[in-house]
Every structure is written in structure tokens, then in C-alpha cells.
């Protein structure tokens, strides 16, 4: 099987005017309600697992339609009602001025004492962050589109030309460190794409190894290092590379419940950000490894690690990795024969296998044999 | 013979003074603080009763002057009807004889011992007579009264008459006493008068304390309570001695007439039934077979008197004839044994409940006025229950008042029997246990002991069942306990409703403040988002708050806010 760039499915669509309009419409509705003597409110989609479902058609974790109303006249809601409006006004200014602020900046910029009281508009960042998430869900607009960014994590390496503001550069000409993915990738454009696919790698160590072995050049692919759970910027970038540039996505993580969940998040979306799945997830992504089968296939029995925690058949169990495995087995989006088999094997053997374990064979093994062989032969998990 | 007569005289002399000494506790003369309170109580009670009977709004002034160590001069003055000159020695000098002792009447006093006991106390502690100044409207009589212990009679030591140009009416007594102490305690005169003022809101009471401080418990009601009405005793409530004594005092022609006219709920028909019951009791007593005896008695208890009589064949007719004879003889010929038989039969018979017209509760409105006027609470409520009966035939009535907040700072149980404050033996009193048994949390009182809540309970009855001769606590009789509880719960519900409303109003005010606090931020943000002027947005929101939150400005709320 030869991986090839496909036709784009989606066009880059960020339009700050749309965000502004949504903010203003919502504010107008509030104002009209008050003018009409009605108790103004926000419809806030409910958080948590009980308002999340797996949509079989799109194969995505999606947000349910449960709403909670945030009323001005309710004393328990009034403070949050005020905070929501304060942040809406702040975001309006950010977007119209074309400036970006981090979550922490957004908090400090709006933290001040309410006139005539000893009370602050925001006591803590833990008060402002959830309001921003609420706004994302209410408006159906990404935080990044509202010019509020999170810490950057993850990097990209490979023959692709990126346009970031005034700057244009090739991500394979920035040294071995590649290009760090910013908190928001909404404004980024890709004038030139010279690769066939994207290899998403969990650990930076493995990504570094592959770059050193010139894997991206040889295989004509892009390396995206997530550095643990993929940040929103990285997930959005992967999504865009797939939908806007037609690049197939292959994910390479450790063979353990944590690594597999990183893959699941990239592919299906996450419970916390279920309302953003359509913008962050990439259901077509495939999984190259590590799998439990790899252990036998490549003779890695000696370099496995024991699962942490207490197995389900032991007293006090299951805990730790075991518990996580069982949870994953029960998620509707893990109800796939292949995946159930992997999860069961992990449970049965009580082991996990890291990406770096492949170095046991040789440093070049992963770049020259393991990955090319598996990808060529299509030994990928759905 | 002469010797015996002397002895007898000696014995008689000692009996009256001995009576007083031995029964000092029963009359309230124990302890230095309590003795003083008792004297004041006797004088004030007389004044209140006299004013009530004469239809006068009482004005009572009490002065206590310290003359030396545990030595005081007590002055009590009222604006009552005054005492006719010829009665002065009787009122102040004769013990165990008064205007109410023999009447079945709800009364405050100690039934005739009262003020003469005080005169006696003064006399035996200081040797001095009691000075009485009184007028019924004519000349003012000033008399010094002593008790002739030998004759048990009042004796006027000295008497002066004064002209009365201003037409003063009333009575003023002055006495010197020792072995007493004025202390402003919960058992002292101050507290006693305060409680008296609460239960008698129609009275204006003043107190001058030994240090010269004047305290006024002002009148808060213009309504003079109706004096108590004499009630004929109910057959269920009498003792053998009552029947015997009443019969011997009666001027009726026969025992039957006596019973019908001097007891309530006794008719000709009931006399016939009484005859049957006494007959049956006599027959049963003679029965030797224990088993049969018990069976028959049980039948009688169940009211089946006819079948009990039939069980004795013809024998009963003769016995009944004898019993009928008792009913026909003059009442003064009634023997103790016969009186016993009558009372025993009464206990088994059924009677209509006693009349209650003689009960004189304070009344809900007056309790509220009394509590409000003296304690200045923020909320007051009262409940007067309908009369009930205990021990089968003794009518009683319970009333309760609750006063909350305002100038009240701690919890208090104010106990009364027939409006008389009970200051001692709180622990053994049914009022205390009933108040304690209430789950106050259910009525929005988190803890009774730490709440600003005063509970007033007045038990009204011709025969208040005191636990002891001290008459300071009421016995734990189930019917009374239950009535107190019901009255308390009823009143507490009203309190809870008030507190609920108060919290609701406070909540509304807090809610309004919270919402208004956020208005500047909201207006500013919405201005940025919509372009509408801030001031206008603020007005819209204020109008909304105004229309959706009703705030009742109620007394007390302001105070609460200021304290918070």
C-alpha cells in the first residue's frame, strides 16, 4: 500500500467577522430580553459524560443537546452571568483588534474589583477558563477563533511550506527541532504541501529518532510530535492537514492504554471537548503501533513493561492501567473487533510496550524496518 | 379540771403561731429572698383582685426601703375600692378565713391566708404592727394592725381618721420585716412584678427599689378582666371532706336537694342513679366470694349497675331503701361514712363535663399586649386553648404566649398558674417539661436555649394541681401536659411562619443587593457588545429587578440589616 495525498474535503474557513457577529447577536438577544422585562439567560450546553454521546454516523464523540440556563435573576447564576458578558466583551475587542491572548492573560485582563465591593470579577483562573469553554460551546466557535490561546505543545517536521502571518517557511528547513505548533493554528496557511502523509508520534524522543534517521525525507511524510496527549493546536492542525490538504493520518503511540487513548482522541474527539470534535477530530486516522501483536511479531517479549495497578481478578482491583483498559473496552468508540482484541491481550498478559522498546533491536530499526514494513503492508488498526 | 383547761388553752394558743411556723414553707416564707417576694405577692394579689372585682384599672406601687441589714420597710399602695373600716381587722388579722376560702372559684391568692400571713411575718420578725391606710371614698382610715395570736384575730392597735378632701380611694399598707433580702434575681421582687405585669397588662405597676431606682411596668391594655365566677363543684372533682363540709354548711332541706343545688351536673335522675350505685357498692362490699366480688365490681365500673343489683336477687331492694333514706335526711346529718360512699359512687358514675364559665384566662390579645408592653419583642403571638378537663371532672385551660427578638436577648420560660407567676421549682413543673419536649427546630428555632425567645404558659383552673404545698410547680398530669404542648405547637407554627417570612424578605433584600452589585459590569460589557448606552442598559436591568423582586419593607428587617 502506498500512502498518497488525497483531494481536500474542506476549505480553510476562519472568518473573524463571523465570530463577532455571533457575539453581538447573543448580546443583542440578552439586551432585548431585558428591555421586554424578561429574565435574560444564556443557554449553556451541559458539561460532562452524561451529555456526551458517540455519533455512529460521523464516528465522533459529540456533545448532546442538554442545556442548562444561566439566568441573571437567579442569585446562584448572577455572578457567572456577569462573568460571561465580561469575557464576551473582552473577546469582541481581541478579535476586532486582531490580537491574541492566552487563557491566563484573559484572566488577568478581566480580573478587577467590582465597584463598591470587595469582590473581584474573577477570583481565580479556574473561574474564567470554564466560562471560555462555555462560550465555545454556546457559540460553536473555537477558543482559538476567539483569539484565546492555550500553551503551545507539539512540533511538526517535514517538507511543507507554512505561512504564519508575514512569515513563510519550509518545516524541513528549520533544523532537527522542526516548527513548534502554536496554541492556535487558525491563521496558518499551507501554500505548498510536498508530502504524502502525516505520521503523528506520541513521544518527542521517537520523533527525534525518526528525523535523525531521515525517515520523513525517505518516506515523504510529515512528522507531528504530540508530546503526550495532543494539544488542541496539534489536533486542529492534524484535522486541517487531513481535511484541507488531503493528507492521510497515521498515528504512532506507545502500546498501552494511555497511548491508545491519545490515538482515540485524535480520531474520535474527547469527552471534555466533545463540542469541538467536528473541528478537532480526524475519524479517518489509522493506527500503526504499538500493538500487542507487535510483541510476538518482532520478538519484543523481553522489553515489555508490567501494567501498573491491580488486575481485575485481584482483591482491590482493577486499578491503574487495568482500570483504564477496562474503561476503554467499554467506550462505544472502542467497540471494534481489532481493538477489543488488543485491549483483551493487554489485560491477559498484563504488559505494555513503549515505542522506544524498538531500539532494543537497533536504533535504525523503527525507521528502516518497523514503520515502512507495517505501513507498506497495511498492517494498520482502524 | 382547771389544769386541763389551762393545758387546752395553752395548746390552742400555740396552734395558730405553730401553724404559721410549721407551714411557713407552704405559705411561701422560706429563704430570705423568697419571703420578701411572698409578702409582695400577697399584697399585690389582693390589690389586683380587689380592683378586678370593683372594675377598676389597677395602679399599684411597691416601695422597698432598706432600714438595716436584712431589715426592710415595705409599702404597697393601690387605687382599689378600699377596705371598709370594720373589715380591716379581718382582712389583715385573721388567718384561714377570707372571702374565698369556701368558694369554688378560680383565684390568685392563697385562699385567705395571704395578707394576714404577711402581717404575721412582719410581726414575728420585727414585733411591729402593719400600718394600713385605706379609704372607700369617705374619710381616710389609718390603722395599725396586729394579730392576736391567742384569738387568731386582727387587733387594731391605733387608729386615726383623716379627712379626704380629694376623694382618694385605695389601700396602702406599710410593714417592717426582717430576715428578708432584696436581690434582683429570678426569684426576687423585681422579676415577680415584671412577670405579674406581663400576665396583667391592664395593671400599671411601679417598683421603687431600695437604692431609690424607680421601675415602671406600664399598662398596655385598658380592658379590665371580668372577675372570676363561682362555679359549683363537679362531682368528679370533689373529695370526701368537701362533700362533708359543704353538707354541714348547707341550708337545704335534704341531702338530695343539697347535692342537686350545690354541685354541677347533678339532676333528679342522677340522684336515682347515685342511689343505685351506692346500693350496689354496699352489696358488693358484703359479698364474701372474692371472685364474684371482683366480677361484680368490674361490671359496676363498666356502668352496668342494673345487672349488678339483679345479681343479688331481692336483697337489693331493702338495701336501696336505706340508701334512699340518706337522700331524704337533712344535709347536716350526713355522716363522714355516707359522704365517703357518695364520693366513691361519683367516681364510678358518668357526668357531663363540668361547666367552664368560671375560668378566666388572660386571653390571646392581652397576652400579646402584656408581652409586647413589657418585653418589647419584635414578634409576639398567643394561643388560648378551649377548656378541658383533667381527672375526669376538673376543668382547666391552657394558654401560651411567645415573644421573639427585639429587646429580648435570651430564652426564658415564664410559668403562671391563674396568672400568678411561678418562680420556684421550675425543674419539676409540667410547664418546663412540656416546653422542653417541643422540637423547636421544626419551628425555625435552631436551639431554644440560645434563641431570643420568651415562652409564657398560663394554666388556669379552680384546682391547679400543684406538686407541693409551696404552689410553685404544676404536677405532671397527662391532660395538662398535652394541652400545653398543643398550645405551644400552635403558637410556634405562627412564629415559624413569621420567621419564614422574615427570612424570605431578608433573602429578597440580599438577592437584590447581589444583582445590583453586578449591574455596572453587566452594563459596561453589554455596551461594548451592543453599543447601547451604559446608563440605559442599567435602567433596563433596574426596572427588571424592580418588577421581579417584591421587597416588603417590614419592621425589624432594618434592624437585622444594621446588625449584620
Amino acid at each position: 500500500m502506498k500512502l498518497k495525498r488525497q483531494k481536500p474535503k474542506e476549505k480553510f474557513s476562519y472568518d473573524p467577522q463571523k465570530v463577532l457577529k455571533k457575539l453581538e447577536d447573543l448580546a443583542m438577544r440578552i439586551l432585548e430580553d431585558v428591555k421586554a422585562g424578561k429574565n435574560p439567560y444564556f443557554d449553556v450546553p451541559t458539561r460532562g459524560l452524561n451529555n456526551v454521546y458517540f455519533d455512529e454516523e460521523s464516528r465522533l464523540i459529540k456533545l448532546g443537546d442538554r442545556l442548562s440556563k444561566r439566568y441573571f435573576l437567579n442569585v446562584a447564576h448572577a455572578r457567572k452571568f456577569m462573568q460571561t458578558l465580561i469575557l464576551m466583551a473582552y473577546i469582541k475587542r481581541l478579535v476586532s483588534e486582531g490580537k491574541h491572548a492566552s487563557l491566563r492573560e484573559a484572566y488577568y485582563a478581566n480580573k478587577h474589583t467590582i465597584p463598591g465591593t470587595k469582590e473581584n470579577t474573577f477570583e481565580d483562573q479556574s473561574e474564567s477558563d470554564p466560562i471560555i469553554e462555555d462560550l465555545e460551546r454556546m457559540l460553536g466557535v473555537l477558543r482559538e477563533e476567539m483569539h484565546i490561546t492555550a500553551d503551545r505543545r507539539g512540533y511538526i517536521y517535514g517538507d511543507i511550506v507554512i505561512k504564519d502571518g508575514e512569515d513563510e517557511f519550509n518545516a524541513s528547513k528549520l533544523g532537527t527541532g522542526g516548527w513548534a505548533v502554536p496554541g492556535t493554528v487558525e491563521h496558518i496557511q499551507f501554500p505548498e504541501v510536498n508530502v504524502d502523509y502525516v505520521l503523528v508520534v506520541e513521544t518527542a524522543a521517537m520523533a527525534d529518532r525518526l528525523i535523525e534517521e531521515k525517515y520523513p525525507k525517505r518516506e515523504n511524510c510529515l512528522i507531528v510530535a504530540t508530546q503526550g496527549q495532543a494539544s488542541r493546536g496539534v489536533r486542529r492542525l492534524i484535522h486541517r492537514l487531513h481535511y484541507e490538504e488531503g493528507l492521510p493520518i497515521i498515528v504512532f503511540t506507545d502500546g498501552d492504554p494511555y497511548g491508545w487513548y491519545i490515538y482515540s482522541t485524535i480520531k474520535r474527539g474527547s469527552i471534555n471537548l466533545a463540542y469541538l470534535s467536528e473541528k478537532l477530530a480526524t475519524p479517518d486516522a489509522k493506527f500503526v503501533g504499538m500493538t500487542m501483536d507487535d510483541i510476538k511479531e518482532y520478538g519484543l517479549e523481553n522489553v515489555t513493561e508490567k501494567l501498573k495497578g491491580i488486575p481485575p481478578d485481584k482483591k482491590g482491583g482493577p486499578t491503574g492501567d487495568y482500570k483504564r483498559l477496562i474503561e476503554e473496552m467499554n467506550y462505544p468508540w472502542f467497540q471494534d473487533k481489532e481493538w477489543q482484541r488488543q485491549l483483551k491481550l493487554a489485560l491477559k498478559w498484563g504488559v505494555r510496550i513503549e515505542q522506544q522498546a524498538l531500539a532494543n533491536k537497533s536504533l535504525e530499526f523503527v525507521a528502516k524496518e518497523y514503520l515502512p514494513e507495517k505501513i507498506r503492508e497495511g498492517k494498520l488498526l482502524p | 379540771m382547771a389544769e386541763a383547761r389551762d393545758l387546752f388553752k395553752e395548746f390552742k394558743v400555740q396552734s395558730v403561731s405553730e401553724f404559721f411556723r410549721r407551714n411557713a414553707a407552704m405559705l411561701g416564707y422560706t429563704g430570705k429572698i423568697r419571703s420578701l417576694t411572698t409578702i409582695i405577692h400577697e399584697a399585690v394579689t389582693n390589690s389586683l383582685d380587689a380592683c378586678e372585682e370593683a372594675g377598676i384599672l389597677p395602679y399599684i406601687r411597691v416601695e422597698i426601703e432598706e432600714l438595716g441589714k436584712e431589715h426592710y420597710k415595705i409599702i404597697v399602695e393601690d387605687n382599689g375600692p378600699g377596705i371598709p373600716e370594720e373589715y380591716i381587722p379581718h382582712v389583715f388579722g385573721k388567718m384561714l378565713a377570707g372571702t374565698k376560702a369556701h368558694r369554688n372559684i378560680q383565684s390568685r391568692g392563697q385562699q385567705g391566708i395571704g395578707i394576714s400571713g404577711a402581717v404575721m411575718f412582719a410581726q414575728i420578725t420585727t414585733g411591729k404592727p402593719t400600718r394600713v391606710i385605706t379609704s372607700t371614698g369617705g374619710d381616710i382610715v389609718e390603722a395599725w394592725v396586729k394579730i392576736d395570736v391567742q384569738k387568731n384575730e386582727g387587733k387594731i392597735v391605733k387608729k386615726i381618721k383623716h379627712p379626704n378632701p380629694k376623694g382618694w380611694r385605695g389601700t396602702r399598707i406599710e410593714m417592717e420585716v426582717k430576715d428578708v433580702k432584696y436581690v434582683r434575681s429570678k426569684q426576687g421582687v423585681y422579676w415577680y412584678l415584671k412577670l405579674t405585669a406581663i400576665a396583667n397588662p391592664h395593671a400599671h405597676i411601679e417598683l421603687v427599689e431600695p437604692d431609690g431606682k424607680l421601675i415602671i411596668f406600664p399598662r398596655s391594655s385598658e380592658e379590665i378582666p371580668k372577675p372570676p365566677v363561682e362555679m359549683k363543684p363537679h362531682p368528679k372533682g370533689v373529695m370526701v371532706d368537701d362533700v362533708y363540709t359543704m353538707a354541714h354548711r348547707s341550708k337545704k332541706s335534704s341531702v338530695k336537694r343539697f347535692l342537686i343545688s350545690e354541685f354541677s351536673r347533678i339532676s333528679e335522675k342522677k340522684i336515682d342513679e347515685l342511689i343505685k350505685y351506692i346500693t350496689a357498692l354496699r352489696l358488693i362490699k358484703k359479698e364474701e366470694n372474692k371472685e364474684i366480688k371482683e366480677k361484680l365490681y368490674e361490671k359496676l365500673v363498666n356502668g352496668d349497675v342494673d345487672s349488678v343489683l339483679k345479681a343479688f336477687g331481692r336483697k337489693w331492694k331493702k338495701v336501696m331503701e336505706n340508701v334512699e333514706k340518706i337522700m331524704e335526711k337533712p344535709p347536716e346529718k350526713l355522716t363522714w361514712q355516707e359522704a365517703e360512699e357518695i364520693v366513691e359512687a361519683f367516681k364510678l358514675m358518668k357526668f357531663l363535663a363540668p361547666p367552664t364559665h368560671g375560668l378566666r384566662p388572660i386571653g390571646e390579645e392581652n397576652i400579646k399586649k402584656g408581652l409586647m408592653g413589657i418585653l418589647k419583642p419584635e414578634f409576639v403571638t398567643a394561643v388560648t386553648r378551649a377548656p378541658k378537663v383533667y381527672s375526669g371532672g376538673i376543668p382547666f385551660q391552657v394558654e401560651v404566649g411567645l415573644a421573639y427578638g427585639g429587646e429580648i436577648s435570651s430564652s426564658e420560660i415564664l410559668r403562671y398558674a391563674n396568672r400568678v407567676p411561678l418562680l420556684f421549682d421550675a425543674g419539676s413543673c409540667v410547664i418546663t417539661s412540656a416546653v422542653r419536649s417541643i422540637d423547636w427546630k421544626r419551628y425555625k428555632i435552631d436551639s431554644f436555649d440560645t434563641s431570643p425567645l420568651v415562652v409564657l404558659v398560663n394554666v388556669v383552673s379552680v384546682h391547679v394541681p400543684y406538686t407541693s404545698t409551696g404552689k410553685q410547680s404544676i404536677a405532671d398530669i397527662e391532660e395538662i401536659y398535652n394541652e400545653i404542648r398543643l398550645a405551644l405547637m400552635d403558637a410556634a407554627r405562627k412564629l415559624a411562619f413569621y420567621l419564614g417570612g422574615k427570612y424570605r424578605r431578608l433573602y429578597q433584600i440580599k438577592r437584590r443587593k447581589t444583582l445590583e452589585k453586578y449591574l455596572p459590569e453587566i452594563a459596561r460589557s453589554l455596551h461594548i457588545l451592543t453599543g447601547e448606552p451604559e446608563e440605559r442598559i442599567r435602567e433596563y436591568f433596574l426596572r427588571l429587578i424592580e418588577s421581579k423582586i417584591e421587597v416588603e419593607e417590614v419592621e425589624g428587617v432594618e434592624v437585622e440589616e444594621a446588625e449584620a
Side-chain angles (χ1 to χ4, degrees):
Chain A
M1 182 179 103
K2 179 84 175 122
L3 287 174
K4 265 274 174 234
R5 191 179 166 187
Q6 300 147 356
K7 268 195 178 162
K9 293 165 190 160
E10 196 178 277
K11 276 237 162 117
F12 176 68
S13 65
Y14 171 62
D15 178 1
Q17 288 312 314
K18 274 187 190 165
V19 176
L20 290 175
K21 179 144 195 333
K22 283 187 172 183
L23 282 170
E24 282 158 16
D25 285 352
L26 182 52
M28 272 320 280
R29 208 214 71 222
I30 300 277
L31 187 63
E32 292 306 321
D33 278 356
V34 181
K35 276 191 195 173
K38 286 189 230 158
N39 184 2
Y41 63 91
F42 291 106
D43 268 325
V44 188
T46 309
R47 294 163 187 276
L49 190 56
N50 60 8
N51 195 29
V52 156
Y53 69 101
F54 183 62
D55 181 52
E56 295 289 343
E57 206 188 304
S58 61
R59 310 293 293 163
L60 289 175
I61 297 171
K62 283 193 170 175
L63 189 67
D65 49 12
R66 287 194 206 187
L67 296 172
S68 62
K69 288 195 187 310
R70 180 174 298 162
Y71 286 105
F72 166 67
L73 285 178
N74 185 326
V75 172
H77 299 175
R79 182 173 161 85
K80 277 192 177 179
F81 184 92
M82 166 199 72
Q83 290 173 332
T84 311
L85 282 170
I86 288 178
L87 286 171
M88 280 170 69
Y90 181 68
I91 288 161
K92 178 180 173 179
R93 284 190 304 215
L94 279 183
V95 176
S96 42
E97 289 167 21
K99 294 206 171 159
H100 293 78
S102 70
L103 285 168
R104 191 126 189 97
E105 284 172 324
Y107 157 63
Y108 278 122
N110 292 290
K111 177 193 175 80
H112 59 267
T113 306
I114 298 169
T117 70
K118 287 176 186 164
E119 193 177 323
N120 287 325
T121 51
F122 295 91
E123 295 298 343
D124 205 276
Q125 199 185 332
S126 67
E127 277 194 297
S128 57
D129 285 0
I131 301 274
I132 290 166
E133 270 189 38
D134 287 342
L135 282 169
E136 286 188 299
R137 283 180 290 179
M138 278 192 281
L139 303 172
V141 171
L142 283 176
R143 176 172 82 209
E144 292 78 0
E145 292 176 281
M146 297 190 276
H147 291 209
I148 293 184
T149 59
D151 294 343
R152 57 178 65 206
R153 193 170 71 231
Y155 61 87
I156 166 173
Y157 181 95
D159 191 1
I160 185 169
V161 175
I162 294 169
K163 186 169 186 288
D164 181 359
E166 307 288 302
D167 302 327
E168 230 177 80
F169 50 85
N170 189 306
S172 63
K173 308 257 186 291
L174 298 170
T176 49
W179 177 67
V181 179
T184 170
V185 295
E186 294 314 312
H187 57 292
I188 295 196
Q189 284 170 308
F190 311 105
E192 238 184 90
V193 179
N194 304 317
V195 293
D196 294 328
Y197 69 97
V198 178
L199 183 69
V200 179
V201 181
E202 175 184 347
T203 62
M206 179 52 76
D208 290 350
R209 161 68 37 228
L210 293 172
I211 292 165
E212 190 169 299
E213 301 300 332
K214 307 226 182 308
Y215 180 85
K217 209 160 265 176
R218 211 170 37 246
E219 298 292 325
N220 203 26
C221 76
L222 209 57
I223 298 268
V224 174
T226 65
Q227 297 180 288
Q229 180 59 277
S231 68
R232 286 174 51 149
V234 165
R235 278 144 77 182
R236 179 68 178 148
L237 182 73
I238 293 168
H239 176 97
R240 288 189 61 193
L241 288 171
H242 178 70
Y243 285 97
E244 291 169 23
E245 307 302 330
L247 294 174
I249 308 294
I250 292 175
V251 182
F252 183 25
T253 72
D254 286 337
D256 60 21
Y258 185 69
W260 294 334
Y261 199 74
I262 291 172
Y263 168 63
S264 152
T265 299
I266 290 166
K267 187 180 174 77
R268 306 292 186 203
S270 68
I271 296 167
N272 280 341
L273 302 175
Y275 57 100
L276 297 176
S277 289
E278 282 176 357
K279 291 189 168 175
L280 294 183
T282 312
D284 295 335
K286 296 233 160 30
F287 184 80
V288 64
M290 308 283 294
T291 67
M292 287 294 113
D293 293 330
D294 291 342
I295 296 169
K296 289 235 158 102
E297 190 93 5
Y298 298 98
L300 300 169
E301 288 88 346
N302 296 326
V303 289
T304 60
E305 304 255 325
K306 276 190 181 157
L307 287 179
K308 286 175 203 134
I310 306 167
D313 53 349
K314 289 264 165 64
K315 201 185 160 197
T319 63
D321 287 340
Y322 290 99
K323 192 175 169 221
R324 193 82 197 92
L325 274 174
I326 288 166
E327 273 169 15
E328 281 175 18
M329 283 172 89
N330 292 327
Y331 286 139
W333 53 93
F334 267 103
Q335 300 309 313
D336 174 275
K337 234 168 54 187
E338 288 288 310
W339 275 107
Q340 288 291 320
R341 206 171 67 81
Q342 294 301 324
L343 292 162
K344 270 181 205 153
L345 280 176
L347 264 183
K348 191 172 152 197
W349 296 341
V351 298
R352 53 192 289 269
I353 179 91
E354 284 183 12
Q355 294 180 310
Q356 279 74 33
L358 296 166
N360 184 255
K361 296 274 156 194
S362 78
L363 281 180
E364 302 82 26
F365 177 72
V366 62
K368 298 214 168 126
E369 292 179 44
Y370 176 84
L371 285 173
E373 194 179 300
K374 281 192 93 173
I375 291 171
R376 201 183 314 119
E377 290 171 17
K379 285 191 189 163
L380 303 175
L381 286 184
Chain B
M1 250 337 228
E3 205 189 335
R5 183 161 291 160
D6 283 348
L7 268 174
F8 188 66
K9 255 186 187 168
E10 271 277 273
F11 175 75
K12 206 182 170 192
V13 168
Q14 285 202 339
S15 74
V16 177
S17 57
E18 274 305 307
F19 172 86
F20 187 79
R21 289 213 167 88
R22 275 198 206 139
N23 296 290
M26 175 180 151
L27 305 183
Y29 295 96
T30 52
K32 291 176 173 152
I33 297 167
R34 186 177 177 185
S35 292
L36 187 59
T37 306
T38 303
I39 292 167
I40 302 296
H41 160 71
E42 300 298 356
V44 168
T45 293
N46 274 10
S47 295
L48 287 171
D49 284 349
C51 287
E52 253 171 47
E53 290 204 44
I56 296 167
L57 281 170
Y59 177 101
I60 298 169
R61 184 182 173 93
V62 176
E63 284 178 51
I64 295 168
E65 252 175 71
E66 194 166 3
L67 302 175
K69 193 177 179 278
E70 298 182 354
H71 183 187
Y72 294 86
K73 183 175 185 182
I74 299 165
I75 301 164
V76 179
E77 185 179 327
D78 68 44
N79 64 336
I83 301 162
E85 198 182 328
E86 64 267 34
Y87 285 97
I88 294 172
H90 295 293
V91 171
F92 295 98
K94 211 169 179 97
M95 302 237 279
L96 304 169
T99 53
K100 294 168 199 158
H102 58 279
R103 290 195 294 167
N104 199 37
I105 197 166
Q106 174 194 325
S107 95
R108 292 188 174 95
Q110 303 267 0
Q111 313 206 334
I113 302 169
I115 195 65
S116 39
V119 172
M120 177 72 130
F121 188 86
Q123 193 172 316
I124 63 175
T125 55
T126 64
K128 294 196 174 162
T130 295
R131 184 182 180 211
V132 178
I133 303 164
T134 183
S135 172
T136 57
D139 283 349
I140 296 171
V141 180
E142 184 178 6
W144 282 261
V145 186
K146 272 196 135 180
I147 292 177
D148 182 334
V149 178
Q150 294 187 13
K151 290 184 186 157
N152 181 26
E153 258 176 27
K155 209 167 98 182
I156 295 181
V157 187
K158 190 181 163 192
K159 185 159 77 181
I160 309 171
K161 281 198 186 180
H162 304 276
N164 187 8
K166 284 184 183 167
W168 176 74
R169 246 180 105 171
T171 305
R172 174 186 172 101
I173 59 172
E174 297 180 13
M175 50 176 64
E176 264 186 52
V177 289
K178 281 190 175 173
D179 289 336
V180 296
K181 210 161 142 188
Y182 185 89
V183 177
R184 232 198 204 207
S185 75
K186 285 273 164 80
Q187 269 126 24
V189 172
Y190 168 82
W191 190 246
Y192 169 82
L193 289 177
K194 183 171 180 170
L195 264 55
T196 301
I198 291 171
N200 297 277
H202 64 293
H204 175 103
I205 301 175
E206 291 181 4
L207 166 65
V208 180
E209 293 188 300
D211 62 2
K213 194 175 173 194
L214 171 70
I215 293 152
I216 297 173
F217 301 109
R219 175 179 297 133
S220 46
S221 167
E222 301 294 319
E223 187 191 321
I224 304 161
K226 286 181 195 139
V229 181
E230 184 171 357
M231 282 190 294
K232 292 175 186 171
H234 189 268
K236 289 279 186 187
V238 289
M239 294 186 304
V240 181
D241 181 54
D242 296 326
V243 175
Y244 182 76
T245 324
M246 284 164 73
H248 283 247
R249 213 184 277 141
S250 174
K251 292 189 173 71
K252 298 290 169 192
S253 59
S254 65
V255 170
K256 180 177 162 180
R257 290 285 127 216
F258 152 70
L259 290 173
I260 291 172
S261 67
E262 290 183 30
F263 284 85
S264 67
R265 308 306 191 209
I266 296 184
S267 57
E268 295 270 357
K269 238 175 114 186
K270 278 285 162 193
I271 295 291
D272 293 342
E273 205 182 317
L274 176 68
I275 290 166
K276 278 187 189 174
Y277 268 86
I278 295 174
T279 308
L281 279 166
R282 281 189 179 180
L283 287 163
I284 290 170
K285 263 174 204 150
K286 278 181 193 146
E287 176 59 51
E288 274 163 18
N289 185 322
K290 244 190 170 176
E291 230 170 85
I292 295 174
K293 200 174 175 172
E294 265 169 34
K295 239 181 213 166
L296 288 170
Y297 192 76
E298 202 177 306
K299 268 192 179 174
L300 198 60
V301 170
N302 290 331
D304 203 354
V305 63
D306 288 328
S307 76
V308 172
L309 294 177
K310 268 179 201 156
F312 291 96
R314 275 184 206 151
K315 240 196 320 190
W316 65 273
K317 286 220 161 154
K318 211 171 169 211
V319 178
M320 189 146 117
E321 272 166 33
N322 286 328
V323 177
E324 275 166 346
K325 276 181 196 155
I326 301 173
M327 294 298 149
E328 297 309 325
K329 69 179 180 180
E332 67 263 26
K333 294 250 165 87
L334 188 76
T335 66
W336 181 270
Q337 206 187 330
E338 287 159 352
E340 260 179 359
E341 285 185 310
I342 290 170
V343 171
E344 199 180 353
F346 279 169
K347 285 201 173 118
L348 297 169
M349 289 165 66
K350 285 203 173 79
F351 293 96
L352 285 173
T356 55
H357 60 272
L359 296 176
R360 284 284 177 265
I362 307 169
E364 292 176 2
E365 279 315 304
N366 281 327
I367 291 176
K368 286 194 221 167
K369 282 180 185 163
L371 289 168
M372 205 45 121
I374 305 299
L375 300 178
K376 311 246 182 309
E378 120 195 6
F379 173 81
V380 70
T381 186
V383 169
T384 297
R385 301 272 303 167
K388 290 273 150 58
V389 165
Y390 79 87
S391 289
I394 305 172
F396 75 99
Q397 198 168 359
V398 165
E399 46 189 354
V400 149
L402 296 181
Y404 180 89
E407 289 184 14
I408 297 170
S409 57
S410 60
S411 69
E412 206 79 63
I413 302 172
L414 310 183
R415 299 177 296 130
Y416 295 86
N418 294 333
R419 290 185 184 204
V420 175
L422 307 178
L423 304 185
F424 298 87
D425 307 334
S428 59
C429 188
V430 68
I431 292 175
T432 310
S433 60
V435 173
R436 292 273 164 210
S437 77
I438 299 293
D439 180 8
W440 290 99
K441 275 204 184 70
R442 288 175 56 178
Y443 305 101
K444 297 195 160 62
I445 297 292
D446 287 339
S447 151
F448 178 74
D449 292 310
T450 59
S451 295
L453 175 63
V454 168
V455 178
L456 173 155
V457 179
N458 183 30
V459 175
V460 179
S461 180
V462 170
H463 295 289
V464 177
Y466 294 106
T467 52
S468 68
T469 49
K471 295 196 172 183
Q472 289 294 317
S473 83
I474 301 172
D476 187 7
I477 286 172
E478 201 186 337
E479 290 96 330
I480 298 180
Y481 176 80
N482 287 339
E483 277 298 301
I484 297 173
R485 272 179 56 83
L486 288 171
L488 283 169
M489 289 191 279
D490 200 354
R493 265 190 294 277
K494 296 183 198 173
L495 174 63
F497 185 76
Y498 166 76
L499 290 176
K502 182 178 151 177
Y503 292 141
R504 245 189 330 275
R505 288 189 296 278
L506 280 176
Y507 168 74
Q508 291 292 41
I509 285 169
K510 275 191 189 145
R511 184 175 167 209
R512 186 197 187 110
K513 279 192 172 173
T514 304
L515 298 179
E516 286 180 359
K517 178 174 67 185
Y518 298 140
L519 274 194
E521 293 295 327
I522 288 175
R524 191 181 54 83
S525 302
L526 271 175
H527 163 68
I528 293 168
L529 288 159
T530 65
E532 189 92 359
E534 268 186 65
E535 199 41 51
R536 284 240 294 274
I537 298 174
R538 212 186 297 211
E539 277 166 29
Y540 297 143
F541 273 90
L542 276 173
R543 214 183 302 148
L544 178 78
I545 294 171
E546 207 66 52
S547 70
K548 300 284 172 168
I549 300 181
E550 325 156 337
V551 179
E552 300 161 49
E553 298 294 344
V554 173
E555 251 183 286
V557 169
E558 237 67 55
V559 180
E560 284 284 326
E561 284 292 294
E563 279 167 2

